[in-house]
Amino acid sequence: MKFDIIRTILQKTNTNYSFENNTLAYAPANIALCKYWGKRNEQLNLPYTSSLSISLGNKGTTTSIKILSSSDSDIIFLNDQQKENDSVFATRLISFLNLFRPSTTTFFEIKTYSTIPIAAGLASSASGYAALVLALNKLFKWELSFKELSILARLGSGSACRSLWHGFVKWHAGYSDDGMDSYAEPLKMTWPDLCIGLLILSTSEKNPGSTIAMKKSLASDFFSSWLEKSKKDLSELPLSIEQHDFSNFGRIVESNALAMHSVTHTTWPPIYYSLPETIANMHLIWAMRKSGIELYFTQDAGPNLKLMFLKKDVETIKKYFKDIEIIFPFSFE
Ligand code: PMV
């Protein structure tokens, strides 16, 4: 099925292979404000629900790719360290690359640099597969549209389809079985005062990974309620962004994350990504809000929190959260 989709997308591209040397490509990480949680097709990463994210500016992945002239395997570097080809990271990458090899004896060298902690629930695979697809587009001189690249990136990691742009991005869940209508596009809205704070409480690998956790979550009695809630949140969130209505924005984003986690908590056996530090920081955030400092959080498949606040509160936030990494999604170098 994946190969059929690749064939459909690549049929009109240049197949007269002459390879481009400069394939360097960058894609930002993204944080879902309304989450993708639950796959209607696991092989194609097709979601039950649409989702909406914000990209993290200069936190992301830079990747280059070249064809190796004499090698019998791919060579993969992550942050200048060669990865074993049987590592989890390389195995996943290699099976994605298998979709695009001109022949079974063509191998690639991939150099990838990440400015975000790998697999700490900070969507590093999203920027990774988005950057890889952009680099492949350069290597093979495909000249594909961003919509088509978004579909290809989705095959690597669902949320990667949202990582091709900066700012707010919406992923349309789509209806078709082949997923040709399941892609992301940027929203024409900005919010220069909006800040994201990464509160990294653990950098260990998320456990279980999102694919397994999403599958298990389907067994939660609340899964259908999650789908309803997600639809409602997604219908309300864009207006709060357009109006820069931070209170409504924060309410929707935080409650959407809590609803997503409620289905992991209520499946059996339960999946509980939060650590005691996660919960302690949630209580701190709620206490701060009560005292008049407006900040909200979201949480993905891991114990870390991503805080949302406005520029006017940056200094206060730094006082409360000493190690926070602050991102300005609409103004970065
Ligand atoms: O794309 P995946 O398989 O890494 O799943 C991402 C899942 C969440 O980060 C929890 C939500 C989202 O929409 O990004």
Side-chain angles (χ1 to χ4, degrees):
M1 186 72 176
K2 276 191 186 176
F3 279 102
D4 295 340
I5 287 159
I6 305 292
R7 257 194 298 275
T8 310
I9 291 180
L10 299 186
Q11 63 191 352
K12 59 181 191 328
T13 61
N14 167 27
T15 48
N16 177 18
Y17 292 119
S18 67
F19 302 112
E20 177 60 47
N21 290 327
N22 178 14
T23 61
L24 204 65
Y26 173 77
N30 75 77
I31 303 272
L33 303 168
C34 270
K35 309 291 184 191
Y36 145 56
W37 196 254
K39 304 187 193 211
R40 64 185 162 89
N41 178 322
E42 205 175 297
Q43 205 205 354
L44 301 179
N45 290 330
L46 294 178
Y48 278 104
T49 61
S50 297
S51 55
L52 200 157
S53 61
I54 181 131
S55 291
L56 296 187
N58 55 14
K59 289 269 169 267
T61 305
T62 303
T63 293
S64 66
I65 181 165
K66 69 178 186 195
I67 304 263
L68 292 168
S69 49
S70 56
S71 176
D72 54 8
S73 61
D74 296 319
I75 301 179
I76 296 168
F77 292 92
L78 171 62
N79 296 338
D80 284 328
Q81 281 196 326
Q82 189 175 346
K83 300 295 282 185
E84 297 289 337
N85 279 10
D86 58 1
S87 64
V88 176
F89 182 84
T91 311
R92 188 170 163 194
L93 208 62
I94 290 167
S95 67
F96 184 68
L97 290 169
N98 287 344
L99 299 169
F100 304 102
R101 286 181 212 283
S103 78
T104 50
T105 53
T106 308
F107 294 101
F108 302 101
E109 181 190 84
I110 310 272
K111 286 189 171 166
T112 188
Y113 299 90
S114 171
T115 49
I116 40 175
I118 296 292
L122 287 175
S124 57
S125 65
S127 57
Y129 283 92
L132 181 56
V133 160
L134 289 169
L136 284 164
N137 188 45
K138 286 188 179 177
L139 176 74
F140 292 124
K141 300 179 186 165
W142 287 332
E143 297 180 358
L144 293 173
S145 68
F146 270 67
K147 173 179 167 183
E148 290 162 321
L149 291 172
S150 178
I151 292 173
L152 294 183
R154 193 198 72 231
L155 299 176
S157 167
S159 53
C161 75
R162 298 186 309 236
S163 263
L164 294 169
W165 301 270
H166 287 291
F168 296 107
V169 179
K170 183 174 178 184
W171 172 9
H172 304 280
Y175 301 96
S176 71
D177 289 342
D178 65 4
M180 293 303 283
D181 57 356
S182 183
Y183 60 90
E185 60 183 1
L187 298 183
K188 290 189 191 71
M189 291 190 269
T190 63
W191 198 339
D193 281 341
L194 184 67
C195 304
I196 308 283
L198 302 182
L199 198 61
I200 299 180
L201 304 167
S202 161
T203 51
S204 53
E205 300 271 320
K206 56 190 174 192
N207 189 19
S210 49
T211 296
I212 292 175
M214 284 187 206
K215 195 171 181 171
K216 291 194 169 166
S217 295
L218 301 182
S220 163
D221 288 336
F222 297 120
F223 192 76
S224 56
S225 309
W226 154 248
L227 298 183
E228 290 302 310
K229 157 93 178 141
S230 160
K231 230 183 245 161
K232 180 169 171 278
D233 289 346
L234 206 64
S235 72
E236 292 176 2
L237 189 61
L239 186 65
S240 73
I241 296 174
E242 200 183 302
Q243 297 181 337
H244 293 181
D245 177 347
F246 191 53
S247 305
N248 255 328
F249 172 86
R251 173 185 61 80
I252 297 165
V253 172
E254 189 173 300
S255 76
N256 184 273
L258 290 168
M260 177 202 119
H261 284 269
S262 75
V263 293
T264 73
H265 298 167
T266 51
T267 193
W268 197 261
I271 298 167
Y272 208 93
Y273 284 113
S274 294
L275 292 171
E277 301 86 292
T278 316
I279 308 291
N281 278 288
M282 287 179 184
H283 282 280
L284 174 58
I285 290 164
W286 293 323
M288 287 170 73
R289 245 180 12 232
K290 249 190 186 155
S291 78
I293 307 162
E294 210 177 358
L295 83 158
Y296 300 89
F297 67 83
T298 186
Q299 181 188 7
D300 293 297
N304 301 315
L305 295 177
K306 292 95 186 197
L307 274 41
M308 279 144 297
F309 46 92
L310 296 176
K311 264 188 188 156
K312 67 177 176 58
D313 290 322
V314 164
E315 290 312 315
T316 314
I317 300 294
K318 279 187 190 161
K319 269 185 216 138
Y320 279 88
F321 304 95
K322 293 276 176 272
D323 299 322
I324 199 164
E325 169 115 37
I326 299 183
I327 290 158
F328 303 97
F330 296 96
S331 52
F332 53 89
E333 297 287 291

